[in-house]
Each structure stands twice: as structure tokens, then as C-alpha cells.
Amino acid sequence: MSIDHKNNQKTIVQVAIDVPINKLFDYFWDASELGQFPERGRLVVVPFGKKDVVGIVINVSEQSAYELDKLKKVIGIAPNNSLSEDLISMGEFASTYYQRSIGEVLVSSIPVAWRKSDKWATLEKPKRQSKQKAHEDATELRAIELNNEQKEIVETLSAASSEKKFQTYLLQGITGSGKTLTYLNWLARVLVDPTDQVLIMVPEINLTPQLEQSVREAFPEKTLAVLHSGLTERTRADAWMAANTGKAQIILGTRMSIMASIPNLKAIVVDEEHDLSYKQQEGVRYSARDLAIWRAKKNEIIVLLVSATPSLESWHAAVEGKYKRLTLSERGSKEASQPIIEILDLKEERRAGKKINNGISDSLIEAIHATLKKGLQTLIFINRRGYSPVLSCEACGWLSDCAKCSAHMVLHKLPRGGSNLCCHHCGLIKYIPRSCPDCGNSDLLPIGQGTQKIEQYLAEVFSTAKILRIDADSTRTKGSAEELFGAVHDGQVDIVVGTQMITKGHDYQSVGLVGVIDADASLFSQDYRASERLFAQLMQVAGRAGRSGRSVQSKVIIQTRYPTAAPYKYLKNNDVDGFLVETCEERKVVGLPPFSYQALIHAEHRTLGEAIGMLKDAAAVVKNQGKHGYSWPESVSMSDVVPKAMVRIAGKERAQVLIESPTRQDLQAALEIMQLVLIDQNTKRKGVGWYIERDPIQI
């Protein structure tokens, strides 16, 4: 059929556009002008309002609910392949599940450069590539001897892959057990056909460089595409294109990579699957881990979840038989050994007459001295950046509160001298007041400690040691994180002070001591997941020790005032399953996930009353469902409307209501009703922002 003949049939395309309107938009496709027929998944330029925007063709039809002569035309087509069918299908699912328009789900996930049609001509031209320098220590996978556990797991996964059936596997292995090496060996068998592709996901950007190097060494002949938010606009656009065309066989990235178009996807790995970074916290609040499982099912392939401390949901699914569990119980290196974990009771320290300066006990200082004498490195972990969490006036009790948020402003020392106050929630920065704003007292004192203060104190105590701080402040510039971690791995540093950035995935070969400061703050959070997060965090940081294979026994010292708390009790014995069993029983008694399903309805306004009022009105409509024609599922419960724990952020007052259900299906039905009610309520209360968050990670 000729283009002219086909064009006479008035081809209509339904296009997804990145707007919060849950519908597709009809456009006329003039094949004679565009030079080709429409395809599902095509990136196109269409007029929308007063401007031209990039959208995605979702449906192709010969009919429209609108008058054809009033339809606008598609005016441009992107010079790339259509998006993969499984990605479009996943976008349709996510749109319904997370209650957002498909345009918000899919179009927003496309690299910025591909959303600007004026840059398409530039993107078509090949970027000048710098030659990839081969790593001097590059080692082929087959040259590394696997232990029996690793070999068995590789064989199991390979056999499962060859069946071409969907299955979720949970690889649970102690820290240092060689989980990465194991799944790379499996992927080597998957990537036999040069057209096949695999996706490896990691939780955070700072983990990507180290894993990227490992992947390049393991697969020197394969094309690798890396996707994360730290890349330049052009680099990310090119990587996305390489995945979309099938040129890149291996796609490595953070949570955004699950939204990449990968037409020949044969396997998915979700490394550190428990990590909260897989949950998007703005825009479409999706879980990349959960979408990875959905996508694997759609493609009838294996998805491998990997963690030393699995999330309770994944662990429980494995116990129930929904996932298949694989276990690595030994450290990968024969010489490496598990570190001794010591829970240091600070109350007992004081009774014994030992001092605690700047949050560090004398016992930990002594252990650092001993470690330095052995020529080994020390990691000091405190999950709080800055100098001090708050500035205070001793005379009247004034605190350095943020004017825009329900939070304290943190005291930061500046690199070139001086200090300022910074809010870690809205980014507001202020100079340090010369005197108390309330009483005029000039004696303002910092309370508590952050990474900067610990770094300063240790520099005073260990004046000849090389001390390095790694946190979000010291790694702001491009390439700085890689440079700092490189210094640690090369042995140029004696003591490393850092936040959770130093705890994940890094294979330190010279760490003999890990010290943990101020972990107790998480024990008393109102969030029921806090202890689970703390346990995982501590297991991760403890696992950084004892990897060198040296004969010296490594040690982990965790300071606490509550040594009998569950996270510390099970951590001391490296008993991950014991902790998860106890936590699972607690959740079961009170009906919390994974024994129920949750969603939060958020509302925000410059006044708290308006935010609460909108949610209360919506709840009232739902409760009077018979009067309003809604059929709310009986099994679904709704909490009272309450202010959020952090009530104010960036000048907006926030409220929430929690919806719970014993089944996903009933929760979905309830959310669809709530979406309609909220849209109606929003027309009556102008200026109130709201959104639905499915499967929240914090309550």
C-alpha cells in the first residue's frame, strides 16, 4: 500500500504527553508529509496549547471521538527507533498502578535532550568518542575461580534462563561473599547472542563507577551503556540511544534505568535490592525494584534481586515460595574472615570512667590507634553531614530553626573558612548570627556532631594520620566521589569519615576497623521501617571490614546506649534471618506490610488548614459513598487526616491520610475512587497540591 493511499484513510494517533491529565491526545498523521507510517512507541513532535512538545505514540487508529477536521497534525518524528513494546506496556501498568498519566510516566523518563526536538539533528550526529583505555589489571571472568556455592548458583540461574520463563530469584549473601562476581558469571552465559541485552541496577550514583569498572573488565568486548542523573545531557542521551537501538548489550544504571527502552532484554539484576533509593520520591513515585519484577514477567525472563540484607517484603516472598532464594554463606576470598562485632555500651563506658569526646568514646580512640599501628585503615560512619545538627543559645534556648521547614538548620564549615547554616530539606542558606536573635546573647554553641566535626576532632587526636571525609558535601563536583574512593582503595588514607556513601558495595582491601557513631537516633523513629533500615545500614558498614585477607583480625565497634535493641542483638551474631523473622512476626501482629498494602494521600498548601480541609472533605465524600455513587471496598480502611511528621517544607504545610487494604486489588479500586474525588475537591480548593503515593517507604 502506498503512502498516499494509506494517508487517505485518515490515520489517527493517540499521543502521550507529559501533563497531569489522565488521557491520550488525538492527532492526525499525514504519512505523505511525514514520509512513513505511524508506529506505537514513536517519539513525535505535536502542537499542544501554544507550544510544540515531544510525545509518544501509544495507539494508532482510523477513528477519533473528535471531528477529524479539528485535529492537529503530528509535525515531526524523532530520528530513532520506537520505544520497546515491553517499556510501553510497563508504562501503561505504572500509569494505572501509581495513579499518574502515562505521559508523566513515560515521557518524563526520556533523557532531556530527546525531549527537545531542536536537538534531534545534533543527536543524530555521532559524538566524537575518546578511546576507552584498557585497564591494566583487566581480568576475564573465567580467570577467577568460583567457590562451590557460587558455581552452584551460576548453574541454577543459567538453567532457569535457558527455559525462558519468568522467575524472581533472591540472592542473599553475606557481605564479601562475591555476589557481584556470581551474577556477572551468570550474565556472561546470558549474553552469548550478540543481540541480547541485560540490565544491571544499582541504588546510587556513587556505586556506579566501581561496578562500571568491574563490568568493563569482565566484558571487554561488550558495549556498555551507563544511565544515571550525574551524566551530562548528551552522554545520557547517547547511552539511552545505545540501549534503544540494541547496540549496548549491558545497561548499568540507577533507578531511572528501569525506564530505558531495551528491545532485547534477557535478564535483570537489582543489586542492593533493599535500598530505599530504588523508590522515586518526586514526580511519579514508582519503585524501580517492583517495576523490574513486572518487566521481567512481561518478557518471560529471570530477575535477580541481590542483597546481604534483603527487604522484609522480598525475604518474606522467598519464605512463602513466591521467589526462589539462593544463598552465599561464605566470604568470596578464602583468606578473608568475618570481623568481630563489638556493641559498645556508652553507659558502661562512663561507669568505667572513660570519656566520650565529640561523640567518640575512649575505647574507640584506642582501637583506632591500634589499627593505625598495624598499617590498616579505619572507617568512621556517622549518618549526618555538616558540622553540627543545630546551633543553640544557652541563655534562652533559641535553636537555629529553618524559616521555611519544620527542621533545624545545620551548621556547616565552609571549605575556605567561615561557617553558615543550611537546611537539608529546602536548601535555604543563612549566615551565622553574631548573637542570639531572641535574647542577644553572643554565646551560641553547636549541639551534636556531623561528619565535619568528627573529621576535625580526629585530625586533632591523630595529627599525623591522613584523614578523608566522604559525604554529599565533599563529593559535589563531577568526578570527586570517584577520586576520593580511589584514594581510599589505593591506600592513601588512614582514616575515612563518612555517611552511608561509604557503606555500600565498596570492596576495601585494607580496612581493619569500622566505628559507628550515633546510630541510636533511628531506634525511636515513628516510622515502623526505621529499625529495618538501621539493621541493613549497620550490616553494610560492618561488611566493609575483613576483606583484605590479611592475618590480622578486623573489628567493628558500634557505640550505643541501648545494646539490647534488636538491630544490635542480631547484628552481633551476623544473624540476618533472625532479625527478619522477629521483625516479620511484629509486622504480622499489627497487620503492616508485607501483610497489608498501603497508600498515602498527600496534600500541601501554604496553610495547614487548607491541606487538611481538602483531605477531610475527600474522606467525607468517600464515607458517604452511597449518596455520591461510589462503591468503596469494605476491606479498605482509611486513617484520620493528620499533619505529616515533617509538617512544613519549603514554606508548604503538609497533611496526609493513610489507606490500607489486605489485597492489592481492593486498594487499587479504592485509589481509583479517591483519585476522582480528589480531582473534584481540587476544583473547589484552588492552590492545594496533592498526590497519591503507592507503597510508601515512610509513613
Side-chain angles (χ1 to χ4, degrees):
M1 183 183 294
S2 70
I3 285 181
D4 287 339
H5 180 71
K6 179 74 175 179
N7 191 45
N8 289 333
Q9 298 181 20
K10 302 293 185 183
T11 305
I12 309 300
V13 291
Q14 293 184 308
V15 178
I17 297 173
D18 187 10
V19 290
I21 303 173
N22 196 19
K23 61 174 289 188
L24 299 173
F25 299 88
D26 288 8
Y27 288 89
F28 175 57
W29 185 282
D30 191 331
S32 60
E33 287 185 7
L34 297 171
Q36 63 182 77
F37 298 130
E39 294 177 355
R40 176 172 157 95
R42 263 293 185 186
L43 263 63
V44 293
V45 186
V46 293
F48 188 80
K50 296 181 179 180
K51 58 183 180 180
D52 297 336
V53 300
V54 172
I56 302 171
V57 174
I58 302 298
N59 296 318
V60 180
S61 175
E62 294 179 2
Q63 297 178 338
S64 173
Y66 305 95
E67 294 181 28
L68 296 184
D69 58 354
K70 291 185 179 180
L71 293 184
K72 296 179 180 179
K73 291 183 178 182
V74 173
I75 58 177
I77 309 172
N80 58 21
N81 295 7
S82 297
L83 303 184
S84 60
E85 176 57 34
D86 69 319
L87 176 62
I88 300 294
S89 297
M90 187 179 73
E92 291 172 329
F93 162 76
S95 172
T96 301
Y97 188 79
Y98 294 109
Q99 296 293 297
R100 301 296 288 258
S101 73
I102 189 170
E104 290 177 294
V105 174
L106 286 179
V107 180
S108 65
S109 71
I110 295 170
V112 173
W114 282 109
R115 280 182 268 158
K116 299 176 180 177
S117 57
D118 60 336
K119 292 195 173 184
W120 287 352
T122 303
L123 292 173
E124 266 194 294
K125 298 174 183 177
K127 184 181 176 182
R128 189 174 181 179
Q129 299 287 338
S130 57
K131 291 185 178 180
Q132 182 69 38
K133 187 179 178 181
H135 196 274
E136 293 179 359
D137 300 323
T139 307
E140 291 190 10
L141 282 175
R142 59 179 174 268
I144 303 175
E145 181 67 27
L146 301 180
N147 62 33
N148 291 334
E149 281 186 329
Q150 292 169 330
K151 289 178 182 176
E152 186 175 340
I153 288 172
V154 171
E155 292 299 329
T156 298
L157 291 173
S158 299
S161 297
S162 64
E163 293 179 5
K164 298 181 180 179
K165 293 181 180 179
F166 163 70
Q167 181 61 56
T168 303
Y169 281 87
L170 174 63
L171 175 55
Q172 181 179 344
I174 63 171
T175 52
S177 58
K179 296 183 289 294
T180 303
L181 179 64
T182 302
Y183 71 66
L184 288 180
N185 271 270
W186 164 54
L187 294 180
R189 299 194 184 187
V190 173
L191 292 172
V192 173
D193 191 312
T195 64
D196 289 342
Q197 295 173 287
V198 297
L199 170 62
I200 305 173
M201 295 169 59
V202 293
E204 293 185 22
I205 292 173
N206 72 78
L207 291 184
T208 311
Q210 186 177 357
L211 186 54
E212 179 183 348
Q213 179 179 311
S214 298
V215 172
R216 290 194 188 280
E217 291 174 1
F219 302 100
E221 77 289 356
K222 306 289 184 187
T223 300
L224 171 67
V226 180
L227 288 169
H228 59 71
S229 60
L231 300 171
T232 64
E233 193 175 289
R234 177 64 195 261
T235 301
R236 184 183 164 195
D238 288 345
W240 181 85
M241 176 62 112
N244 186 38
T245 58
K247 177 183 177 183
Q249 281 194 268
I250 305 170
I251 294 85
L252 169 64
T254 54
R255 63 174 176 263
M256 68 167 60
S257 61
I258 192 57
M259 307 301 291
S261 177
I262 311 173
N264 303 308
L265 187 59
K266 302 303 181 191
I268 302 176
V269 174
V270 185
D271 208 346
E272 307 288 357
E273 68 85 24
H274 65 279
D275 200 286
L276 301 185
S277 299
Y278 283 121
K279 184 67 185 291
Q280 175 80 3
Q281 290 299 297
E282 56 186 28
V284 182
R285 288 165 167 77
Y286 65 86
S287 165
R289 179 195 64 197
D290 294 350
L291 288 183
I293 295 170
W294 191 97
R295 194 168 183 179
K297 186 175 182 180
K298 173 71 177 176
N299 284 287
E300 290 291 322
I301 59 175
I302 301 300
V303 56
L304 179 66
L305 310 181
V306 182
S307 179
T309 54
S311 63
L312 189 61
E313 286 81 359
S314 297
W315 179 85
H316 182 256
V319 170
E320 293 286 297
K322 296 176 183 177
Y323 300 169
K324 293 186 178 181
R325 183 156 70 153
L326 307 169
T327 305
L328 289 173
S329 58
E330 303 173 2
R331 287 216 154 183
S333 171
K334 295 179 181 179
E335 293 79 17
S337 61
Q338 286 287 90
I340 296 171
I341 297 179
E342 179 182 341
I343 307 300
L344 189 65
D345 187 344
L346 294 179
K347 297 191 295 292
E348 290 296 326
E349 286 285 288
R350 292 188 184 278
R351 292 191 191 103
K354 294 194 174 183
K355 297 178 181 178
I356 301 172
N357 294 312
N358 293 287
I360 301 181
S361 67
D362 283 350
S363 293
L364 181 52
I365 292 294
E366 292 166 6
I368 296 173
H369 273 295
T371 304
L372 290 173
K373 287 182 179 178
K374 296 172 186 174
L376 295 174
Q377 296 172 320
T378 295
L379 296 186
I380 300 297
F381 169 64
I382 175 169
N383 206 24
R384 182 180 285 125
R385 63 188 176 94
Y387 188 82
S388 288
V390 64
L391 194 64
S392 171
C393 172
E394 283 195 321
C396 71
W398 170 86
L399 298 173
S400 55
D401 291 334
C402 178
K404 295 183 178 181
C405 304
S406 303
H408 300 311
M409 298 191 77
V410 178
L411 175 63
H412 281 257
K413 296 288 187 180
L414 301 177
R416 297 181 181 179
S419 304
N420 65 17
L421 293 172
C422 176
C423 176
H424 289 178
H425 298 279
C426 72
L428 179 65
I429 295 175
K430 287 185 176 181
Y431 291 112
I432 304 292
R434 294 182 178 180
S435 59
C436 174
D438 287 351
C439 71
N441 175 37
S442 60
D443 193 13
L444 301 179
L445 298 175
I447 298 176
Q449 49 277 324
T451 50
Q452 289 182 331
K453 193 173 185 179
I454 296 300
E455 177 191 24
Q456 178 181 299
Y457 173 65
L458 291 176
E460 294 170 358
V461 177
F462 303 98
S463 57
T464 60
K466 296 176 183 176
I467 301 175
L468 187 67
R469 173 170 53 88
I470 302 180
D471 56 22
D473 297 318
S474 65
T475 58
R476 287 190 188 280
T477 58
K478 184 181 177 182
S480 56
E482 191 172 354
E483 182 180 342
L484 292 177
F485 282 116
V488 178
H489 290 298
D490 292 342
Q492 300 172 22
V493 181
D494 298 314
I495 303 173
V496 181
V497 179
T499 56
Q500 61 179 350
M501 290 180 68
I502 67 173
T503 71
K504 301 173 184 177
H506 295 286
D507 191 20
Y508 305 118
Q509 290 297 304
S510 300
V511 171
L513 174 67
V514 172
V516 179
I517 302 170
D518 202 21
D520 290 342
S522 299
L523 291 176
F524 305 103
S525 169
Q526 64 178 11
D527 183 9
Y528 69 87
R529 298 181 189 271
S531 65
E532 181 186 354
R533 288 200 296 269
L534 174 62
F535 181 77
Q537 205 170 61
L538 295 179
M539 282 294 296
Q540 288 292 325
V541 70
R544 298 315 104 196
R547 292 168 173 258
S548 67
R550 300 188 190 183
S551 58
V552 180
Q553 179 68 61
S554 60
K555 181 183 285 190
V556 178
I557 298 177
I558 300 172
Q559 297 185 165
T560 177
R561 291 178 177 80
Y562 309 95
T564 59
Y568 304 135
K569 178 177 65 175
Y570 290 104
L571 182 74
K572 187 172 184 178
N573 299 315
N574 286 293
D575 189 0
V576 176
D577 283 357
F579 174 80
L580 291 173
V581 166
E582 181 174 317
T583 306
C584 196
E585 288 300 317
E586 290 174 355
R587 300 263 187 95
K588 188 175 183 179
V589 169
V590 293
L592 290 170
F595 302 99
S596 67
Y597 301 93
Q598 298 178 327
L600 279 175
I601 315 297
H602 303 261
E604 61 180 29
H605 190 265
R606 54 187 176 80
T607 63
L608 184 59
E610 282 293 306
I612 290 177
M614 179 174 166
L615 293 181
K616 281 188 173 181
D617 287 351
V621 170
V622 168
K623 288 175 182 176
N624 294 309
Q625 53 182 299
K627 178 181 176 182
H628 296 279
Y630 297 112
S631 182
W632 187 265
E634 292 184 5
S635 66
V636 180
S637 63
M638 187 185 305
S639 72
D640 292 334
V641 178
V642 296
K644 291 179 69 69
M646 181 73 69
V647 180
R648 186 175 67 258
I649 286 187
K652 294 289 184 71
E653 305 283 341
R654 311 185 304 158
Q656 68 181 31
V657 60
L658 176 67
I659 299 177
E660 294 183 284
S661 170
T663 69
R664 287 189 190 274
Q665 293 79 7
D666 284 353
L667 181 60
Q668 181 67 33
L671 292 180
E672 289 174 0
I673 292 170
M674 183 59 76
Q675 175 94 328
L676 294 174
V677 173
L678 286 166
I679 290 172
D680 181 60
Q681 291 298 317
N682 194 232
T683 61
K684 302 172 184 177
R685 292 180 179 271
K686 299 294 183 181
V688 179
W690 62 273
Y691 61 90
I692 295 173
E693 182 181 9
R694 192 77 183 262
D695 305 325
I697 55 175
Q698 283 186 308
I699 302 297

